[in-house]
Amino acid sequence: VPPTMVTKLRSRLAMQALLAVRDPACVIDKMQRTPQLRDMQLYLGGGALASDDFNRANNADLGVNWDAGYTGYGALTLESNAVRLTALDTTAVESYNAVSLPNNQWVQMTLATIAGTVANYPAVRLRMAAPPTNTWYQYVAEINDATKKSTIAKIVAGTYTLLASENATVWASGDVIRGEAVDSAIALYRNGSQTALLTVTDSSVASGRAGIGSYMSPGGTLSNSVYDNWSAGPSTLSRLAAMGMG
């Protein structure tokens, strides 16, 4: 990007940042819609800081970059170059330890296979404490649940609190679930949409790792809940703050 363009775009980004406190979702939407701002966003290094395609041999351990060991939760397993549960009726949770994310962060993964008739709850997580401490935000696609289809919740020192839910979205194999945490703005997205499925304001958890997790009810088939192509990185407003514009 030419230096003169950088100067101009920094000015435009600064103006967007001034609006961020009032409406961060609007700012992010404008940056994505405006070609020059989108190019500048990429120039600033707005991609993933962490990613895993899970393309390696089957193993009961996801690898050295992943930590299980959360109190009362199980671990995930590698199977056929993807991730799945190791057992039914056991919630599995793991966090990625190889990078330190800024406080404002996003995480996403592909729901490679979602099938069957029993309840199934694939999730991504943000601002996770290191194990064994159970503290984080979780963004859940709720499959075959009679009352909810998507939820945002927080776990703080092991205490669960539902923050937001909706009952209209039908999640399917191939969908991408994405969670974002920008200051106190917590949001869940699907398939790259700029419009959040769910939003809520909460400041209980300020920082931490990104991760993954899931649960399937008894009577299900483990191969009916498979996840792939996980990634995480800094939110747009984190990048603005790093430039002194946030």
Side-chain angles (χ1 to χ4, degrees):
V1 178
T4 54
M5 181 178 291
V6 171
T7 300
K8 292 179 180 179
L9 292 176
R10 282 174 64 95
S11 177
R12 294 183 68 183
L13 283 165
M15 293 179 66
Q16 298 294 338
L18 293 175
L19 302 174
V21 174
R22 291 188 176 182
D23 193 353
C26 177
V27 173
I28 294 171
D29 179 70
K30 287 181 179 179
M31 291 185 72
Q32 295 291 335
R33 289 171 180 267
T34 306
Q36 293 90 346
L37 294 178
R38 184 175 62 247
D39 291 344
M40 183 61 170
Q41 180 184 357
L42 295 173
Y43 174 74
L44 294 173
L49 292 180
S51 63
D52 197 337
D53 61 12
F54 307 110
N55 289 342
R56 47 193 180 271
N58 293 355
N59 199 309
D61 190 331
L62 295 189
V64 296
N65 291 339
W66 292 91
D67 288 333
Y70 288 93
T71 302
Y73 292 90
L76 294 157
T77 188
L78 289 168
E79 183 76 26
S80 301
N81 297 320
V83 172
R84 71 181 195 184
L85 289 161
T86 58
L88 298 172
D89 200 25
T90 299
T91 302
V93 174
E94 300 209 23
S95 63
Y96 194 83
N97 62 44
V99 299
S100 295
L101 293 173
N103 294 349
N104 291 342
Q105 52 192 235
W106 60 265
V107 62
Q108 68 180 37
M109 72 175 180
T110 300
L111 309 181
T113 301
I114 298 296
T117 58
V118 305
N120 178 16
Y121 302 96
V124 289
R125 288 168 166 79
L126 285 175
R127 295 180 178 172
M128 301 180 71
T133 303
N134 298 339
T135 295
W136 56 70
Y137 288 111
Q138 63 185 40
Y139 309 79
V140 188
E142 307 214 354
I143 317 302
N144 298 321
D145 186 292
T147 60
K148 300 182 295 295
K149 296 294 187 292
S150 311
T151 61
I152 298 175
K154 64 181 177 182
I155 309 287
V156 178
T159 298
Y160 173 92
T161 303
L162 178 65
L163 298 175
S165 66
E166 61 88 26
N167 195 34
T169 303
V170 179
W171 294 88
S173 297
D175 281 353
V176 175
I177 183 171
R178 179 184 177 101
E180 293 191 7
V182 179
D183 297 327
S184 62
I186 313 300
L188 168 63
Y189 295 85
R190 175 175 177 244
N191 292 343
S193 173
Q194 294 300 309
T195 302
L197 281 178
L198 292 171
T199 59
V200 67
T201 300
D202 188 85
S203 57
S204 301
V205 187
S207 63
R209 303 175 176 185
I212 187 174
S214 188
Y215 171 87
M216 180 179 280
S217 296
T221 302
L222 294 176
S223 60
N224 283 341
S225 189
V226 180
Y227 321 116
D228 205 354
N229 296 324
W230 178 94
S231 58
S235 74
T236 300
L237 298 187
S238 289
R239 294 192 290 278
L240 292 174
M243 294 175 60
M245 297 188 221

